[in-house]
Amino acid sequence: MTEIQDSPDSRPTARQLQVETHGLDVIGGAERKGTPRALFWPWFGANVSILGLSYGAFALGFGISFWQALIAGVIGIVFSFLLCGLIAVAGKRGSAPTMVLSRAAYGVRGNRLPSVISWVLTVGWETVLCALATMATATVFGRLGWGGGTGTKAVALVVVGALTVVGGVMGFDLIMRLQTVITVVTGVLTVVYIGLVADHIHWSTVSAIPAGSGEKFIGALVFMMTGFGLGWVNAAADYSRYLPRRSSSRAVIGWTTFGASVAPLLLLVFGLLLAGSSTKLNAAVAADPIGALTTILPTWFLVPFAVVAVFGLVGGAVLDIYSSGLALLSAGIRIPRHLAAFVDGVLMIAGSVYIVFFAGDFLGQFTGFLTTLGVPIAAWCGIMLADLLLRRRDYDEADLYRPTGRYGDVPLLPLLLTVVATALGWGLVTNSAASWLTWQGYLLDPFGLGGKSGAWAYANLGVLAALVLGFLGTLAGRARVDAQEAQAPSPRDAGAAV
């Protein structure tokens, strides 16, 4: 999707890398280039991380069998990334960042609520990925006898943080080129890793894992949804906005879903086989999801493993920091996009310092983070999907930036839906491993679901409830969208004034 410009002698030359100047503005027609197929690269590169192997241990941690975990993983991964593909259609229909297009549903200033939630989620994700890359590097260096202590972690954190921040600050062009390289390098080395540790798989042990209850299966399924696609929906249109408006919507959906899903699916299967074959490895992944995977590697492959681990995690973190900067601007902060990405990078490094040097139980905090923010994001996703489904015309570009335009300023329905869906969702999720989340689950007992210690306590029903309520509530209010679509398009020069 790299743009080409003519040189003085009329021979095409690749455009030189430069800091992206676009922020929340609409991408002009002359800059909308490429095909939906190009979406494969950023989505695959962001999700080919070795972390996908660790999700095998996470899924089995719900107390379910290999086959149950596999089915939950396949459904959770594909369905959640399908949601990303559907929202990516908004990008090519409006040519603006995801959290700007969300203004059509939430109003221009009302949209600041989901923008803040989106910002917190993306900053949290980039922090988690940066911390994991740091811990993995330190583990590898420790096994090689090159350190592995505090000094090694500090240096690794600086390097990983710098790579992520530079990618986020530079913007779209560098990210697209970087993700292509990451895809190739991590793809090849991951295949080598799988080949080297395949003999650690013992099918007799894996197949003997007993099946769990239906409630545990649903809990694993929802966890996979929040860990994969629901962590990306709020950024799904940030890359498709550079496509021409005439691009096929089906192709946008297909390439986004396929590019994002294919690597996690393959990694999940192998991760389940590895974790199911060794209770020791399964337990170690909870403390250090990436580093634990080095314990079964031959020494000569540790350095290549570090490369694939860091590249894969940085690939996801770069996309997160780019989108978190856009979300920060959409929340009302008036600074250039590259400065917003830099600010988020500073917060990312500070959060990584806490995780790497001070936090104890990683998996408990990680699960709590996913389910807690997964609820309001699921509500936003349901509202956004229904709003997009109801629209028959492209977004009116100028009115996305005018509180007096057709989309309104602070409409009550979407905000009320978000608050109610979030309150309902938080009442139906629990996380005992994170002490700061013990207040959740307050509806499990009133709804007859066994309370915070019952069978449904860890099914994470709140995420699904928020998604469904947001979607159905928005469909019921379709008169608002009909009234917006009935208005005449804004004058062409109105967008230029914005």
Side-chain angles (χ1 to χ4, degrees):
M1 212 163 157
T2 301
E3 296 178 38
I4 302 295
Q5 60 183 11
D6 292 335
S7 61
D9 60 359
S10 298
R11 288 176 298 181
T13 58
R15 189 175 74 178
Q16 302 243 338
L17 280 176
Q18 55 187 339
V19 176
E20 181 186 0
T21 57
H22 289 299
L24 299 184
D25 52 314
V26 172
I27 304 301
E31 296 185 75
R32 298 176 203 151
K33 298 183 178 180
T35 65
R37 185 176 302 174
L39 294 173
F40 173 85
W41 299 108
W43 286 108
F44 184 91
N47 291 284
V48 72
S49 167
I50 287 290
L51 179 62
L53 290 171
S54 300
Y55 272 87
F58 298 161
L60 291 176
F62 280 84
I64 56 180
S65 68
F66 167 82
W67 291 111
Q68 286 179 308
L70 178 61
I71 294 171
V74 171
I75 296 174
I77 290 171
V78 175
F79 177 71
S80 63
F81 279 125
L82 177 61
L83 299 180
C84 291
L86 292 169
I87 290 180
V89 173
K92 72 101 177 179
R93 290 180 62 180
S95 305
T98 312
M99 297 314 297
V100 169
L101 300 171
S102 176
R103 292 175 178 176
Y106 280 87
V108 175
R109 287 193 298 175
N111 189 62
R112 291 179 180 179
L113 173 63
S115 293
V116 170
I117 297 171
S118 174
W119 176 72
V120 174
L121 178 64
T122 46
V123 169
W125 261 113
E126 68 203 39
T127 301
V128 167
L129 296 176
C130 180
L132 286 175
T134 301
M135 291 190 292
T137 302
T139 300
V140 169
F141 274 54
R143 281 203 60 198
L144 290 170
W146 298 348
T150 301
T152 303
K153 291 178 181 178
V155 173
L157 179 57
V158 170
V159 173
V160 171
L163 288 172
T164 304
V165 172
V166 168
V169 168
M170 290 296 292
F172 182 80
D173 281 344
L174 178 60
I175 288 174
M176 294 300 287
R177 300 186 195 190
L178 181 65
Q179 295 298 71
T180 303
V181 174
I182 289 175
T183 295
V184 174
V185 173
T186 54
V188 171
L189 292 179
T190 300
V191 171
V192 175
Y193 174 88
I194 290 175
L196 289 173
V197 301
D199 59 342
H200 288 268
I201 294 175
H202 307 290
W203 176 247
S204 59
T205 304
V206 175
S207 60
I209 299 175
S213 65
E215 296 91 341
K216 293 178 179 179
F217 171 82
I218 294 174
L221 187 152
V222 177
F223 177 79
M224 300 302 285
M225 287 177 57
T226 54
F228 287 99
L230 279 180
W232 288 108
V233 287
N234 54 312
D238 291 352
Y239 304 94
S240 56
R241 67 185 172 129
Y242 276 89
L243 292 174
R245 296 278 175 88
R246 64 179 182 276
S247 300
S248 165
S249 295
R250 290 185 179 181
V252 170
I253 296 170
W255 283 108
T256 299
T257 306
F258 175 68
S261 299
V262 61
L265 288 173
L266 295 174
L267 291 170
L268 172 68
V269 173
F270 199 75
L272 286 170
L273 292 171
L274 281 177
S277 299
S278 170
T279 54
K280 182 179 179 181
L281 177 63
N282 199 347
V285 166
D288 186 358
I290 305 296
L293 299 174
T294 67
T295 59
I296 54 177
L297 275 175
T299 304
W300 67 267
F301 193 71
L302 288 176
V303 172
F305 176 85
V307 171
V308 68
V310 170
F311 264 46
L313 294 168
V314 166
V318 166
L319 261 68
D320 274 320
I321 198 171
Y322 178 75
S323 294
S324 69
L326 293 174
L328 183 61
L329 298 181
S330 185
I333 304 300
R334 301 195 174 190
I335 55 177
R337 183 208 60 80
H338 61 274
L339 184 56
F342 180 79
V343 169
D344 290 349
V346 173
L347 294 175
M348 173 193 73
I349 293 174
S352 299
V353 168
Y354 170 74
I355 294 176
V356 173
F357 297 103
F358 300 104
D361 173 28
F362 174 83
L363 182 57
Q365 307 300 323
F366 181 55
T367 304
F369 165 74
L370 286 182
T371 54
T372 300
L373 288 184
V375 169
I377 283 297
W380 172 88
C381 181
I383 292 170
M384 185 70 176
L385 285 172
D387 182 82
L388 183 62
L389 177 65
L390 292 173
R391 297 189 183 278
R392 297 292 179 265
R393 295 163 52 182
D394 289 342
Y395 294 97
D396 188 287
E397 298 174 2
D399 280 353
L400 287 170
Y401 302 87
R402 294 191 304 212
T404 57
R406 74 190 65 215
Y407 302 123
D409 190 12
V410 188
L412 291 180
L413 176 61
L415 294 173
L416 185 61
L417 267 177
T418 302
V419 172
V420 171
T422 300
L424 172 65
W426 280 344
L428 296 174
V429 299
T430 58
N431 189 288
S432 60
S435 59
W436 52 284
L437 295 175
T438 54
W439 55 271
Q440 294 178 348
Y442 45 81
L443 293 178
L444 288 169
D445 192 37
F447 283 11
L449 298 174
K452 296 182 181 182
S453 58
W456 289 98
Y458 301 101
N460 295 325
L461 290 177
V463 176
L464 297 177
L467 177 67
V468 172
L469 180 58
F471 184 79
L472 295 180
T474 303
L475 286 183
R478 66 174 303 157
R480 177 171 174 263
V481 175
D482 292 339
Q484 293 172 358
E485 300 253 288
Q487 297 183 37
S490 298
R492 286 186 175 273
D493 58 351
V498 173

